[in-house]
Amino acid sequence: MAVSPIVAYPSDALHPQPTQHATGIPSPLKQLTSAQASSNGTPVPTAPVQQQQGSAPTSAPSLAAATLDLSEQLNEEEKRKYFKGKKLGEGTYANVYFGYVRSDPSQLVAIKKIKIQKEYTEGMAPDAVREIKHLQELKHPNIISLLSVFSSKDQNLNLVLEYLPLGDLEMLIRDDAGIRYGSADIKAWMGMLTRAVWFCHDNFVLHRDIKPNNLLIAGDGEVKLADFGLARSFSDPYIAMTSNVITRWYRPPELLFGARHYSGAVDVWSVGCVFAELVLRTPFLAGETEMQQISLICKAIGTPTDDNWPGVSKLPEYTVDKEVYPVRTRSSYMEMFPTIGSEGVDLLMKTLALDPKKRITARQMLEHEWWHREPRPTRKRDLPRKQGGEEKLAADLKRRPGVVDEENRGNKVARKLDFGGAL
Amino acid sequence: EDESKPYDPFGGLRAEPARYVLHDSYEFPHLDDARHNDNHRVPGYSVHEFYARAMFEAFAGLGVNIGDEKANDLR
């Protein structure tokens, strides 16, 4: 590194400058409003954007090394390892830039710069804290890698993440004109998603925002779980958690009923919803409000009652429609999801069990018979991938990261899925 | 991805604890309420997940001697 070996003693050490950053971190929960999705953006690749970021590191190592303390020098060193290029995406909470490792420009990275948020001027944004805390612990082929963290001027946090160029699973599901896929492909993608969730749970981490647009696709076709902005460690008994997590369409009934003490089963429900969505190519339960979400679950899966879920009516926010729908039978699932076979339907039904105690765990999912039945899961390099999806990407980037584009999709979907009649 | 081998849903990463066996249940009065009270039981709080974490953390790194390993690194 080009830093001068002579390090002058910081002359102002005894008179620290007042800085903007304070140590107090506000409660991560106090700002959560209804239907909160993780508020930080996942890195989404795109076609080059014209605008070149002005603050690109113009390698200025001479930057008064004399005034930097040891930790600031280490930070400068870390920052200089990466070249930060074009902006790939802009969100309310983070901007994502393209970048690469200076010593090996073939190693591409995505640099996620967390913006200073109005609500959290007192300290770091809670989603950034969650993302760093959990991603630095989780190293797995199906979980996005956090390569480095540094702060830039203005005390902005930068997360250096693995570059995943092939978009996300939502883009593949939605592109029903351009992308064709079959049950072997669904099995391969589900395998990768289930391994990611199993690994999180095996390391005592709840993701709490699993949905197709948080499943990014690497250059070799590997699916990677990203966006840990709502993740948390498994809670100890008697310590309450918030029920206001997971994007509504993927939120399990216990959270809709206001549960404060829950388990890995909440993520498994989301995995079941993604499974159903992969088969149907439209969101399975796309409620526009929490009440509608509950009523969709009642119609599509069955009304939660004290018979099928002992004690459920005592949950803090338990409300269901007057009309009680019986839990759907295997044969009605077979009619709706014929392509995955009876083993696939068995697995799907177990992920969508109303009572979380009876829901299958991620580990049990991987032990299920379905993986060993025909067809064998597609090899990742043979999986369908998007072609010419650039316009779609540009559209994706306009929306607030971490939130589904419900204005455009919800209505359409609600019309498409009518559980009342056909089933 | 070797097509000649059967598909492994765990991706070859399944690790079982070597120094302890995780039981289904443990006698620990502090957890009785979490096991039986409706506010934990009904929404699916998993006492078993808590056992798994407590046991893992009790045994994790027992064979790790940081002083020796750091000394080896420096050599």
Side-chain angles (χ1 to χ4, degrees):
Chain A
M1 283 290 136
V3 186
S4 160
I6 301 152
V7 178
Y9 195 80
S11 54
D12 59 347
L14 293 174
H15 310 283
Q17 302 288 309
T19 47
Q20 313 93 312
H21 63 282
T23 45
I25 295 170
S27 158
L29 306 180
K30 79 176 182 192
Q31 299 292 345
L32 287 179
T33 52
S34 176
Q36 183 73 31
S38 156
S39 53
N40 54 356
T42 35
V44 181
T46 183
V49 180
Q50 262 84 337
Q51 173 193 12
Q52 178 76 32
Q53 172 65 358
S55 64
T58 44
S59 62
S62 58
L63 180 81
T67 63
L68 298 178
D69 70 21
L70 187 57
S71 66
E72 287 171 323
Q73 284 178 40
L74 289 171
N75 182 62
E76 278 299 308
E77 219 170 280
E78 200 56 38
K79 180 169 148 188
R80 244 179 278 125
K81 281 185 192 164
Y82 301 96
F83 170 80
K84 189 164 164 187
K86 292 188 178 90
K87 194 190 279 187
L88 298 176
E90 162 125 36
T92 324
Y93 299 94
N95 289 337
V96 180
Y97 300 87
F98 171 82
Y100 57 79
V101 181
R102 282 185 196 277
S103 62
D104 176 9
S106 69
Q107 270 192 63
L108 306 181
V109 298
I111 299 177
K112 180 162 161 179
K113 182 176 172 188
I114 311 287
K115 287 185 180 175
I116 294 184
Q117 299 174 28
K118 274 191 245 65
E119 302 95 316
Y120 300 111
T121 46
E122 303 277 291
M124 279 201 273
D127 22 31
V129 177
R130 291 176 189 278
E131 186 135 38
I132 294 168
K133 177 178 172 182
H134 298 296
L135 276 186
Q136 68 179 351
E137 301 285 345
L138 299 168
K139 300 289 172 218
H140 186 275
N142 299 112
I143 293 174
I144 191 170
S145 318
L146 177 65
L147 305 167
S148 178
V149 178
F150 59 82
S151 69
S152 51
K153 46 180 186 257
D154 316 331
Q155 303 289 323
N156 267 330
L157 257 184
N158 289 257
L159 315 190
V160 183
L161 294 156
E162 185 179 7
Y163 183 69
L164 301 170
L166 293 182
D168 60 46
L169 213 51
E170 184 185 3
M171 293 162 44
L172 296 184
I173 295 172
R174 225 53 75 208
D175 186 8
D176 46 11
I179 301 277
R180 309 183 104 207
Y181 61 76
S183 51
D185 306 317
I186 293 176
K187 198 182 280 184
W189 285 323
M190 281 303 295
M192 298 189 265
L193 165 58
T194 311
R195 280 194 285 286
V197 177
W198 162 70
F199 193 78
C200 289
H201 292 181
D202 220 41
N203 287 282
F204 318 111
V205 172
L206 299 171
H207 184 278
R208 305 198 299 180
D209 198 17
I210 293 166
K211 55 183 172 180
N213 75 344
N214 280 342
L215 295 164
L216 308 189
I217 305 173
D220 63 356
E222 193 87 48
V223 168
K224 310 214 176 207
L225 183 57
D227 200 342
F228 281 66
L230 284 176
R232 68 159 291 154
S233 304
F234 283 5
S235 183
D236 283 349
Y238 319 118
I239 307 290
M241 294 180 271
T242 176
S243 55
N244 218 339
V245 285
I246 305 185
T247 302
R248 197 191 313 115
W249 298 352
Y250 307 91
R251 198 181 301 166
E254 64 269 30
L255 293 183
L256 291 164
F257 294 151
R260 309 302 304 271
H261 302 279
Y262 47 84
S263 67
V266 297
D267 284 337
V268 172
W269 176 277
S270 308
V271 172
C273 294
V274 174
F275 191 5
E277 183 167 342
L278 275 167
V279 180
L280 301 171
R281 295 196 76 152
T282 189
F284 182 42
L285 305 163
E288 284 167 61
T289 62
E290 287 175 28
M291 270 312 297
Q292 202 200 348
Q293 190 66 29
I294 291 170
S295 82
L296 284 176
I297 289 174
C298 294
K299 285 173 192 148
I301 293 163
T303 303
T305 62
D306 286 328
D307 292 331
N308 57 36
W309 181 355
V312 64
S313 62
K314 293 186 208 116
L315 286 176
E317 289 156 42
Y318 177 78
T319 31
V320 291
D321 295 345
K322 275 206 188 74
E323 191 178 349
V324 172
Y325 299 89
V327 174
R328 277 198 188 271
T329 60
R330 183 168 302 266
S331 60
S332 90
Y333 275 92
M334 282 302 291
E335 273 172 48
M336 196 165 189
F337 304 94
T339 50
I340 51 175
S342 61
E343 293 290 341
V345 161
D346 183 73
L347 181 58
L348 176 64
M349 287 179 74
K350 286 173 172 161
T351 61
L352 295 174
L354 293 170
D355 183 344
K357 284 189 297 303
K358 295 171 194 152
R359 211 173 292 151
I360 194 168
T361 65
R363 170 182 287 258
Q364 288 163 349
M365 283 187 77
L366 292 174
E367 290 163 348
H368 195 273
E369 216 7 70
W370 184 55
W371 312 105
H372 306 294
R373 292 296 163 98
E374 291 297 320
R376 186 191 170 102
T378 311
R379 287 179 300 187
K380 63 187 175 194
R381 63 183 153 96
D382 298 331
L383 284 167
R385 48 188 67 195
K386 67 167 188 88
Q387 59 263 111
E390 273 78 19
E391 310 97 70
K392 211 161 182 176
L393 261 167
D396 253 21
L397 287 171
K398 284 185 207 129
R399 74 162 191 246
R400 188 164 162 242
V403 174
V404 273
D405 187 1
E406 296 188 28
E407 286 92 59
N408 296 332
R409 273 173 51 198
N411 300 334
K412 246 184 285 169
V413 162
R415 278 197 298 274
K416 256 192 218 169
L417 278 185
D418 178 11
F419 295 110
L423 292 176
Chain B
E1 286 177 286
D2 188 349
E3 290 277 87
S4 65
K5 289 187 186 141
Y7 179 77
D8 176 11
F10 287 85
L13 281 170
R14 196 170 181 176
E16 298 298 335
R19 289 188 165 89
Y20 66 92
V21 175
L22 183 63
H23 292 293
D24 288 339
S25 186
Y26 294 85
E27 275 302 314
F28 185 29
H30 171 69
L31 293 177
D32 287 350
D33 282 345
R35 267 206 302 233
H36 302 300
N37 282 10
D38 280 353
N39 65 351
H40 282 63
R41 203 177 49 81
V42 175
Y45 182 80
S46 169
V47 181
H48 194 262
E49 283 177 355
F50 180 75
Y51 295 147
R53 181 153 64 104
M55 289 296 284
F56 176 82
E57 287 172 359
F59 285 84
L62 263 191
V64 176
N65 190 325
I66 295 172
D68 291 352
E69 293 194 8
K70 282 289 178 192
N72 285 336
D73 284 354
L74 292 173
R75 223 171 279 142

